[in-house]
Amino acid sequence: MDLKEAIARESVQIDREMGQDLAGLAIGDELLKEILEYGLFSGGKRIRPFLVVLGARLCGRSDEAVYRPAIAFEYLHAATLFHDDVIDHADTRRGRLSVIKRYGMVGAILAGDFLHAHAMALVGRYGGQAALDTFTAATRGMVEGEFLQLRAAGKWEVTADDYFAIVRRKTGVLIEAACVTGGIVAGAGAAQLAALQTYGGNLGTAFQIIDDLLDYQGQFTGKPIGNDLAEGKSTLPLIIALDRAPERERQSLLALLHDVSQRSERLDEIVAFIDRHAGFVEARRRAEQLIDSGLTALQVFSGPGDPDFRELFEDLGHYVLSRQR
Amino acid sequence: MDLKEAIARESVQIDREMGQDLAGLAIGDELLKEILEYGLFSGGKRIRPFLVVLGARLCGRSDEAVYRPAIAFEYLHAATLFHDDVIDHADTRRGRLSVIKRYGMVGAILAGDFLHAHAMALVGRYGGQAALDTFTAATRGMVEGEFLQLRAAGKWEVTADDYFAIVRRKTGVLIEAACVTGGIVAGAGAAQLAALQTYGGNLGTAFQIIDDLLDYQGQFTGKPIGNDLAEGKSTLPLIIALDRAPERERQSLLALLHDVSQRSERLDEIVAFIDRHAGFVEARRRAEQLIDSGLTALQVFSGPGDPDFRELFEDLGHYVLSRQR
């Protein structure tokens, strides 16, 4: 089974499920309905619900009912984006106006709260308390990640541990919760759940590392290079390079980083510094290690059962490492 | 048992429970911890958790474990206030700086999301899916109420039905959910739950009617008179008066209302109009009717059992009608 094909096929099913579910809510207000439509159906890949479905399939559940808890993860993801765009004053999202820009503050905050509440009800109903605990811990983790990031902003001496603490919460926990919830709704045992947890957490973290690499090196992302740096965000390539550089070189780069105008003007110099001290190569190596150990964890599923699903998990790991945007 | 005494005593217990619960979350970020402390411990009466505890007691559950699901209602209430103050650009709340004013947008939105998620986990854990459904439906209802209110803003020909649809969602559903959840955690039967639902919904709606009356007549609220009117909000006294006035008088008042500058300057005239057409008297009568039928519903609890708790529910109903601020 081809990964892209599987994602495309599942996303159709996931969109259909969301449509039916929202219709079932009988939302009275037309504006709220419109915002939810606009914010939810904007051509995302539906990776999070896809992981729920895949996790459930891997653990032996083959019915259609798994789509209902799966869509909760798209709802939560969308709710998070609505709120993030308010916080970041972001005007665009996925190539069109963000919800805050198009519908204003009330729409963005409250439609987010609405989706958030409904997502939790779905997860509780179809996955029970274990899934609900996983899900709500993911939300709490994401919030904590944002706070940690806020605290780290403009600090150039953050450690790799600080970086991973943020990335794990900001990106890892929800991907992890999606994989684990798939297992929970399929009635998986502790060893299987632990494997899904390792895989999911690692996949999410690796995804973010690659994202941060693309911020320096991406030619096809449609975003300006060095955006994180301009915003005062220290990511793994820079952290590694600063850690490996000789003290004098390190101090001189830190001085440059602390100077806001220099930072953007002399981006080439910073990139050369990171490159010289293997920041890019090493960061990529960390992402590869994470995917590797994630895939190793999945060997618990090597018994009988459909190898197709495990293969999709593997392909997804490789896809994360190879993406160009 | 005296109502004020009971509220004061329970609020101490509720605050203690919140403190223990938050400590148990082991929140890593100091700023997030500070925002939660600031936003939660600001001297509220804790009416919503009080209603959960009281509902559980009325249905025969007498242990301490009911405080855990109860505090979820204070969390959700606080989360709602954090987000409302962002939406309304409110600088103060309960006589001090609002969370948005003191900690900014990130703090207000994300701390709200954190509390929201945690509240749902608690309700699910202690009240099961029935309580979770009630709770999340309340959040969805509150959001829908805000959207309805948005749509009604600046419209002076809204009907009493429109008004009740908004008030029920904005204030009624959470109070109702608190009462019902108390019953659910005590394992109450359908008839008891229905009674708590009627009581709670009516109490919340009556509370809001009195709030809206105080906006015109309150001498001790600390808020300026006619605030709703200035904001373009049509509330029950005005709706009733417009409905009862002869057509010509009605048209001339509507013309006045549509003129923003006139509206505030000629407040006395508007108040006299409402008074002349019995808007205040009739609105109060509606609130009294709601409390009456709420208390009648509670007669299902007239069998053996502690009459003290039912008495507290009754006192609360009378308190809502008599409050001056």
Side-chain angles (χ1 to χ4, degrees), chain B residues 63-138:
Chain B
D63 64 338
E64 300 294 291
V66 298
Y67 286 98
R68 213 33 83 97
I71 59 174
F73 284 80
E74 192 65 24
Y75 289 161
L76 179 60
H77 178 54
T80 307
L81 297 183
F82 294 3
H83 287 184
D84 279 356
D85 287 345
V86 174
I87 290 169
D88 300 336
H89 307 281
D91 288 347
T92 59
R93 168 69 66 184
R94 286 175 185 160
R96 28 178 233 166
L97 292 182
S98 61
V99 169
I100 166 88
K101 184 71 182 173
R102 176 147 176 177
Y103 294 102
M105 183 93 92
V106 183
I109 293 183
L110 293 180
D113 289 344
F114 183 97
L115 277 182
H116 190 193
H118 180 51
M120 293 202 236
L122 283 182
V123 164
R125 194 173 311 139
Y126 295 93
Q129 191 61 32
L132 185 64
D133 283 341
T134 304
F135 196 64
T136 54

Coordinates of all heavy atoms in Angstrom, one line a residue, chain B residues 63-138:
Chain B
D63 N -19.9 11.8 50.8 CA -18.4 11.7 51.0 C -17.7 12.9 50.4 O -18.3 13.8 49.7 CB -17.9 10.4 50.4 CG -18.0 10.4 48.9 OD1 -18.9 11.1 48.4 OD2 -17.3 9.7 48.2
E64 N -16.4 13.0 50.6 CA -15.6 14.1 50.1 C -15.2 14.1 48.7 O -14.8 15.1 48.1 CB -14.3 14.2 51.0 CG -14.6 14.4 52.5 CD -15.2 15.7 52.8 OE1 -14.6 16.7 52.7 OE2 -16.4 15.7 53.2
A65 N -15.4 12.9 48.1 CA -14.9 12.7 46.7 C -15.6 13.6 45.7 O -15.1 13.8 44.6 CB -15.0 11.2 46.3
V66 N -16.8 14.1 46.1 CA -17.6 14.9 45.1 C -16.9 16.2 44.8 O -17.3 16.9 43.9 CB -19.0 15.1 45.6 CG1 -19.8 13.8 45.7 CG2 -19.0 15.9 47.0
Y67 N -15.9 16.6 45.7 CA -15.3 17.9 45.5 C -14.5 17.9 44.2 O -14.3 19.0 43.6 CB -14.5 18.3 46.7 CG -15.3 18.8 47.8 CD1 -15.6 17.9 48.9 CD2 -15.8 20.1 47.8 CE1 -16.4 18.3 49.9 CE2 -16.7 20.5 48.9 CZ -16.9 19.6 49.9 OH -17.7 20.0 50.9
R68 N -14.0 16.8 43.8 CA -13.1 16.7 42.6 C -13.8 17.1 41.3 O -13.4 18.0 40.6 CB -12.4 15.4 42.5 CG -11.0 15.3 42.0 CD -10.1 16.5 42.2 NE -9.4 16.6 43.5 CZ -8.1 16.2 43.7 NH1 -7.4 15.7 42.7 NH2 -7.5 16.4 44.9
P69 N -14.9 16.4 41.0 CA -15.7 16.8 39.8 C -16.2 18.2 40.0 O -16.4 19.0 39.0 CB -16.8 15.8 39.7 CG -16.9 15.1 41.0 CD -15.5 15.2 41.6
A70 N -16.5 18.6 41.2 CA -17.1 19.9 41.5 C -16.2 21.1 41.0 O -16.6 22.0 40.4 CB -17.5 20.1 43.0
I71 N -14.9 20.9 41.3 CA -14.0 22.0 41.0 C -13.8 22.2 39.5 O -13.5 23.2 39.0 CB -12.6 21.9 41.7 CG1 -11.9 20.5 41.2 CG2 -12.7 21.9 43.2 CD1 -10.5 20.4 41.8
A72 N -14.1 21.1 38.7 CA -14.1 21.2 37.3 C -14.9 22.4 36.8 O -14.6 23.1 35.8 CB -14.5 19.9 36.6
F73 N -16.0 22.6 37.5 CA -17.0 23.7 37.1 C -16.4 25.1 37.4 O -16.7 26.0 36.6 CB -18.3 23.5 37.7 CG -19.1 22.4 37.1 CD1 -18.9 21.1 37.4 CD2 -20.1 22.7 36.1 CE1 -19.6 20.0 36.7 CE2 -20.8 21.7 35.4 CZ -20.5 20.3 35.8
E74 N -15.6 25.2 38.4 CA -14.9 26.4 38.6 C -13.8 26.6 37.6 O -13.6 27.8 37.1 CB -14.3 26.5 40.1 CG -13.9 27.9 40.5 CD -15.0 28.9 40.6 OE1 -16.2 28.4 40.8 OE2 -14.8 30.1 40.5
Y75 N -13.1 25.6 37.2 CA -12.1 25.7 36.2 C -12.7 26.1 34.9 O -12.2 27.0 34.2 CB -11.4 24.3 36.0 CG -10.5 23.8 37.1 CD1 -10.2 22.5 37.2 CD2 -10.0 24.7 38.1 CE1 -9.3 22.0 38.2 CE2 -9.2 24.2 39.1 CZ -8.8 22.9 39.2 OH -8.0 22.4 40.2
L76 N -13.8 25.5 34.5 CA -14.4 25.8 33.2 C -14.9 27.3 33.3 O -14.7 28.0 32.3 CB -15.5 24.9 32.9 CG -16.2 25.2 31.5 CD1 -15.3 25.2 30.4 CD2 -17.4 24.3 31.3
H77 N -15.5 27.6 34.4 CA -16.0 29.0 34.5 C -14.8 30.0 34.4 O -14.9 31.0 33.7 CB -16.7 29.2 35.9 CG -17.2 30.5 36.2 ND1 -18.0 31.2 35.4 CD2 -16.9 31.4 37.3 CE1 -18.3 32.4 35.9 NE2 -17.6 32.5 37.1
A78 N -13.7 29.7 35.1 CA -12.5 30.6 35.0 C -12.0 30.7 33.6 O -11.7 31.7 33.1 CB -11.5 30.1 36.0
A79 N -11.9 29.5 32.9 CA -11.4 29.5 31.5 C -12.3 30.3 30.6 O -11.8 31.1 29.8 CB -11.4 28.0 31.0
T80 N -13.6 30.3 30.9 CA -14.5 31.1 30.1 C -14.3 32.6 30.3 O -14.3 33.4 29.4 CB -16.0 30.7 30.5 OG1 -16.1 29.3 30.4 CG2 -17.0 31.4 29.6
L81 N -14.0 32.9 31.6 CA -13.8 34.3 31.9 C -12.5 34.8 31.3 O -12.4 35.9 30.8 CB -13.7 34.6 33.4 CG -15.0 34.3 34.2 CD1 -14.8 34.6 35.7 CD2 -16.2 35.1 33.6
F82 N -11.4 34.0 31.3 CA -10.1 34.3 30.7 C -10.4 34.7 29.2 O -9.9 35.7 28.7 CB -9.1 33.2 30.7 CG -8.6 32.8 32.1 CD1 -9.1 33.4 33.2 CD2 -7.7 31.8 32.2 CE1 -8.6 32.9 34.5 CE2 -7.2 31.4 33.4 CZ -7.7 32.0 34.6
H83 N -11.1 33.8 28.5 CA -11.4 34.0 27.1 C -12.3 35.2 26.8 O -12.1 36.0 25.9 CB -11.9 32.7 26.4 CG -10.8 31.7 26.3 ND1 -11.0 30.5 25.6 CD2 -9.5 31.7 26.6 CE1 -9.9 29.8 25.6 NE2 -9.0 30.5 26.3
D84 N -13.3 35.3 27.7 CA -14.3 36.4 27.5 C -13.6 37.8 27.6 O -13.9 38.7 26.9 CB -15.4 36.4 28.6 CG -16.5 35.4 28.2 OD1 -16.4 34.8 27.1 OD2 -17.4 35.2 29.1
D85 N -12.7 37.9 28.6 CA -12.0 39.1 28.8 C -11.0 39.5 27.6 O -10.8 40.7 27.4 CB -11.2 39.1 30.1 CG -12.1 39.2 31.3 OD1 -13.3 39.6 31.1 OD2 -11.7 38.9 32.5
V86 N -10.6 38.4 26.9 CA -9.8 38.7 25.7 C -10.8 39.3 24.7 O -10.5 40.3 24.0 CB -9.1 37.4 25.2 CG1 -8.5 37.7 23.8 CG2 -8.1 36.9 26.1
I87 N -11.9 38.6 24.5 CA -12.9 39.0 23.5 C -13.4 40.4 23.7 O -13.5 41.2 22.8 CB -14.0 38.0 23.4 CG1 -13.5 36.7 22.8 CG2 -15.2 38.6 22.6 CD1 -14.5 35.5 23.0
D88 N -13.7 40.7 25.0 CA -14.3 42.0 25.4 C -13.3 43.1 25.7 O -13.6 44.2 26.0 CB -15.2 41.9 26.6 CG -16.3 40.9 26.4 OD1 -16.7 40.7 25.2 OD2 -16.9 40.3 27.3
H89 N -12.0 42.8 25.5 CA -10.9 43.7 25.9 C -11.1 44.3 27.3 O -11.0 45.5 27.5 CB -10.8 44.9 24.9 CG -10.7 44.4 23.5 ND1 -9.6 44.0 22.9 CD2 -11.7 44.3 22.5 CE1 -9.8 43.7 21.6 NE2 -11.1 43.8 21.3
A90 N -11.5 43.4 28.2 CA -11.8 43.9 29.6 C -10.5 44.0 30.4 O -9.7 43.1 30.4 CB -12.8 42.9 30.2
D91 N -10.4 45.1 31.0 CA -9.2 45.4 31.8 C -9.3 44.9 33.2 O -8.2 44.6 33.8 CB -8.8 46.9 31.8 CG -8.4 47.4 30.4 OD1 -8.0 46.5 29.6 OD2 -8.3 48.6 30.2
T92 N -10.5 44.8 33.7 CA -10.6 44.4 35.1 C -11.6 43.3 35.2 O -12.5 43.1 34.4 CB -11.1 45.5 36.0 OG1 -12.3 46.0 35.5 CG2 -10.1 46.7 36.0
R93 N -11.5 42.5 36.3 CA -12.4 41.4 36.6 C -12.3 41.3 38.1 O -11.3 41.2 38.7 CB -11.8 40.2 35.9 CG -12.4 38.9 36.3 CD -13.9 38.6 35.9 NE -14.1 38.6 34.5 CZ -15.3 38.5 33.9 NH1 -16.4 38.4 34.7 NH2 -15.4 38.4 32.6
R94 N -13.5 41.3 38.7 CA -13.6 41.2 40.2 C -12.7 42.2 40.9 O -12.0 41.8 41.9 CB -13.2 39.8 40.7 CG -14.3 38.7 40.4 CD -13.9 37.3 40.8 NE -14.8 36.3 40.4 CZ -14.6 35.0 40.3 NH1 -13.3 34.6 40.5 NH2 -15.5 34.2 40.0
G95 N -12.7 43.4 40.4 CA -12.0 44.5 41.1 C -10.5 44.5 40.9 O -9.8 45.3 41.6
R96 N -9.9 43.6 40.1 CA -8.5 43.7 39.8 C -8.2 43.5 38.4 O -9.2 43.2 37.6 CB -7.7 42.7 40.7 CG -8.4 41.5 41.1 CD -7.5 40.6 42.0 NE -7.5 39.3 41.4 CZ -6.7 38.3 41.6 NH1 -5.7 38.5 42.5 NH2 -6.8 37.1 41.1
L97 N -7.0 43.5 38.0 CA -6.7 43.4 36.6 C -7.1 42.0 36.0 O -7.0 41.0 36.7 CB -5.1 43.5 36.3 CG -4.5 44.9 36.5 CD1 -3.0 44.8 36.2 CD2 -5.2 46.0 35.7
S98 N -7.7 42.0 34.8 CA -8.1 40.8 34.2 C -6.8 40.0 33.8 O -5.7 40.6 33.8 CB -8.9 41.1 33.0 OG -8.1 41.8 32.0
V99 N -6.9 38.7 33.6 CA -5.8 37.9 33.2 C -5.1 38.4 31.9 O -3.9 38.6 31.8 CB -6.1 36.4 33.0 CG1 -5.0 35.6 32.4 CG2 -6.5 35.8 34.4
I100 N -6.0 38.8 30.9 CA -5.4 39.3 29.7 C -4.6 40.6 29.9 O -3.6 40.8 29.4 CB -6.5 39.6 28.6 CG1 -6.0 40.4 27.4 CG2 -7.7 40.3 29.1 CD1 -5.4 39.7 26.3
K101 N -5.2 41.5 30.8 CA -4.5 42.8 31.0 C -3.2 42.5 31.8 O -2.2 43.2 31.5 CB -5.4 43.7 31.9 CG -4.9 45.1 32.1 CD -4.9 45.9 30.9 CE -4.3 47.3 31.1 NZ -4.2 48.0 29.9
R102 N -3.2 41.6 32.7 CA -2.0 41.4 33.5 C -1.0 40.5 32.8 O 0.2 40.8 32.9 CB -2.4 40.8 34.8 CG -1.2 40.5 35.7 CD -1.4 40.6 37.2 NE -0.3 40.2 37.9 CZ -0.1 40.2 39.2 NH1 -1.1 40.7 39.9 NH2 0.9 39.8 39.8
Y103 N -1.4 39.5 32.1 CA -0.5 38.5 31.6 C -0.4 38.5 30.0 O 0.4 37.7 29.5 CB -0.7 37.1 32.1 CG -0.5 37.0 33.6 CD1 -1.6 37.0 34.5 CD2 0.8 36.9 34.1 CE1 -1.4 36.9 35.9 CE2 1.0 36.8 35.5 CZ -0.1 36.8 36.3 OH 0.1 36.8 37.7
G104 N -1.3 39.2 29.4 CA -1.3 39.3 28.0 C -2.1 38.1 27.3 O -2.6 37.2 28.0
M105 N -2.1 38.2 26.0 CA -2.9 37.3 25.2 C -2.6 35.9 25.3 O -3.4 35.0 25.5 CB -2.7 37.7 23.7 CG -3.5 37.0 22.8 SD -5.0 37.9 22.5 CE -4.5 38.8 21.1
V106 N -1.3 35.6 25.2 CA -0.8 34.2 25.3 C -1.3 33.6 26.6 O -1.9 32.5 26.6 CB 0.7 34.1 25.2 CG1 1.2 32.6 25.3 CG2 1.3 34.8 24.0
G107 N -1.0 34.3 27.7 CA -1.4 33.8 29.0 C -2.9 33.5 29.1 O -3.3 32.4 29.6
A108 N -3.7 34.5 28.7 CA -5.2 34.4 28.9 C -5.7 33.2 28.0 O -6.6 32.5 28.5 CB -5.8 35.7 28.5
I109 N -5.3 33.2 26.8 CA -5.9 32.1 25.9 C -5.4 30.7 26.3 O -6.2 29.8 26.5 CB -5.5 32.4 24.4 CG1 -6.2 33.7 23.9 CG2 -5.9 31.2 23.5 CD1 -6.0 34.0 22.5
L110 N -4.1 30.6 26.5 CA -3.6 29.3 26.7 C -3.9 28.7 28.1 O -4.1 27.6 28.3 CB -2.1 29.2 26.4 CG -1.7 29.4 25.0 CD1 -0.2 29.4 24.8 CD2 -2.4 28.4 24.1
A111 N -3.8 29.6 29.1 CA -4.2 29.1 30.5 C -5.6 28.7 30.5 O -6.0 27.8 31.1 CB -3.9 30.2 31.5
G112 N -6.5 29.4 29.7 CA -7.9 29.0 29.6 C -8.0 27.6 28.9 O -8.7 26.8 29.4
D113 N -7.2 27.4 27.9 CA -7.3 26.1 27.2 C -6.8 25.0 28.1 O -7.3 23.9 28.1 CB -6.4 26.1 25.9 CG -7.0 27.0 24.8 OD1 -8.2 27.3 24.9 OD2 -6.2 27.3 23.9
F114 N -5.8 25.3 28.9 CA -5.2 24.3 29.9 C -6.3 23.9 30.9 O -6.6 22.7 31.1 CB -4.0 25.0 30.6 CG -3.3 24.1 31.5 CD1 -2.2 23.4 31.2 CD2 -3.8 23.9 32.9 CE1 -1.5 22.6 32.1 CE2 -3.1 23.1 33.7 CZ -2.0 22.4 33.3
L115 N -7.0 24.9 31.5 CA -8.0 24.7 32.5 C -9.2 23.9 31.8 O -9.8 23.0 32.5 CB -8.5 26.0 33.1 CG -7.7 26.6 34.2 CD1 -8.4 27.8 34.7 CD2 -7.5 25.6 35.3
H116 N -9.5 24.3 30.6 CA -10.6 23.7 29.9 C -10.4 22.2 29.8 O -11.2 21.3 30.1 CB -10.8 24.4 28.6 CG -12.0 24.0 27.8 ND1 -12.2 24.4 26.5 CD2 -13.1 23.4 28.1 CE1 -13.3 23.9 26.1 NE2 -13.9 23.3 27.0
A117 N -9.2 21.9 29.3 CA -8.8 20.4 29.0 C -8.8 19.7 30.4 O -9.4 18.6 30.5 CB -7.5 20.3 28.4
H118 N -8.2 20.3 31.4 CA -8.1 19.6 32.7 C -9.5 19.4 33.3 O -9.8 18.3 33.9 CB -7.2 20.3 33.6 CG -7.0 19.7 34.9 ND1 -6.7 18.3 35.1 CD2 -7.2 20.2 36.2 CE1 -6.7 18.0 36.4 NE2 -7.0 19.1 37.0
A119 N -10.3 20.4 33.2 CA -11.7 20.3 33.7 C -12.4 19.1 33.1 O -13.1 18.3 33.8 CB -12.5 21.6 33.4
M120 N -12.3 18.9 31.8 CA -13.0 17.8 31.2 C -12.5 16.5 31.6 O -13.2 15.5 31.7 CB -12.9 18.0 29.7 CG -13.7 19.2 29.3 SD -14.3 19.3 27.7 CE -13.6 20.8 27.2
A121 N -11.2 16.4 31.8 CA -10.6 15.1 32.2 C -11.2 14.8 33.6 O -11.5 13.6 33.9 CB -9.1 15.2 32.3
L122 N -11.3 15.8 34.5 CA -11.8 15.6 35.8 C -13.3 15.1 35.8 O -13.7 14.1 36.5 CB -11.8 16.8 36.7 CG -10.4 17.3 37.2 CD1 -10.6 18.5 38.1 CD2 -9.8 16.1 38.1
V123 N -14.1 15.8 35.0 CA -15.5 15.5 34.9 C -15.7 14.0 34.4 O -16.5 13.3 34.9 CB -16.2 16.5 34.0 CG1 -17.6 15.9 33.6 CG2 -16.4 17.8 34.8
G124 N -14.9 13.7 33.4 CA -15.0 12.3 32.8 C -14.6 11.3 33.8 O -15.3 10.3 34.0
R125 N -13.5 11.6 34.6 CA -13.0 10.6 35.5 C -13.9 10.4 36.6 O -14.1 9.2 37.1 CB -11.6 11.1 36.1 CG -10.9 10.0 36.8 CD -9.5 10.4 37.2 NE -8.8 11.0 36.1 CZ -8.0 12.1 36.1 NH1 -7.8 12.7 37.3 NH2 -7.4 12.6 35.1
Y126 N -14.6 11.4 37.1 CA -15.4 11.3 38.3 C -16.9 11.2 38.0 O -17.7 10.7 38.9 CB -15.2 12.4 39.3 CG -13.8 12.4 39.9 CD1 -12.7 13.1 39.3 CD2 -13.5 11.5 41.0 CE1 -11.4 13.0 39.8 CE2 -12.2 11.4 41.5 CZ -11.2 12.2 40.9 OH -9.9 12.1 41.3
G127 N -17.3 11.6 36.8 CA -18.7 11.5 36.5 C -19.1 10.6 35.3 O -20.2 10.5 35.0
G128 N -18.0 10.1 34.7 CA -18.3 9.2 33.6 C -18.8 10.0 32.3 O -18.8 11.2 32.3
Q129 N -19.2 9.2 31.3 CA -19.5 9.8 30.0 C -20.8 10.7 30.1 O -20.8 11.7 29.5 CB -19.7 8.7 29.0 CG -19.9 9.2 27.6 CD -18.6 10.0 27.1 OE1 -17.5 9.6 27.5 NE2 -18.8 11.0 26.3
A130 N -21.7 10.3 31.0 CA -22.9 11.2 31.1 C -22.6 12.6 31.6 O -23.0 13.6 31.0 CB -23.9 10.5 32.1
A131 N -21.7 12.7 32.6 CA -21.3 14.0 33.1 C -20.4 14.7 32.0 O -20.6 15.9 31.8 CB -20.5 13.8 34.4
L132 N -19.6 13.9 31.3 CA -18.7 14.6 30.3 C -19.6 15.1 29.2 O -19.4 16.3 28.7 CB -17.7 13.6 29.7 CG -16.7 14.1 28.7 CD1 -15.8 15.1 29.4 CD2 -15.9 13.0 28.1
D133 N -20.6 14.4 28.8 CA -21.5 14.9 27.7 C -22.3 16.2 28.2 O -22.4 17.1 27.4 CB -22.6 13.8 27.3 CG -21.9 12.7 26.5 OD1 -20.9 13.0 25.8 OD2 -22.5 11.6 26.4
T134 N -22.7 16.1 29.4 CA -23.4 17.3 30.0 C -22.5 18.5 30.0 O -22.8 19.6 29.6 CB -23.8 17.0 31.4 OG1 -24.7 15.8 31.4 CG2 -24.6 18.2 32.0
F135 N -21.2 18.2 30.4 CA -20.2 19.3 30.6 C -19.8 19.9 29.2 O -19.8 21.1 29.0 CB -19.0 18.7 31.2 CG -18.1 19.7 31.8 CD1 -18.4 20.5 32.9 CD2 -16.8 19.7 31.4 CE1 -17.5 21.4 33.5 CE2 -15.8 20.6 32.0 CZ -16.2 21.4 33.0
T136 N -19.5 19.0 28.2 CA -19.1 19.6 26.9 C -20.3 20.2 26.2 O -20.1 21.2 25.5 CB -18.5 18.5 26.1 OG1 -19.4 17.4 26.0 CG2 -17.2 17.9 26.7
A137 N -21.5 19.7 26.4 CA -22.6 20.3 25.8 C -22.8 21.7 26.4 O -23.2 22.7 25.7 CB -23.9 19.5 26.0
A138 N -22.5 21.9 27.6 CA -22.6 23.2 28.3 C -21.6 24.2 27.6 O -21.9 25.3 27.3 CB -22.3 23.1 29.8

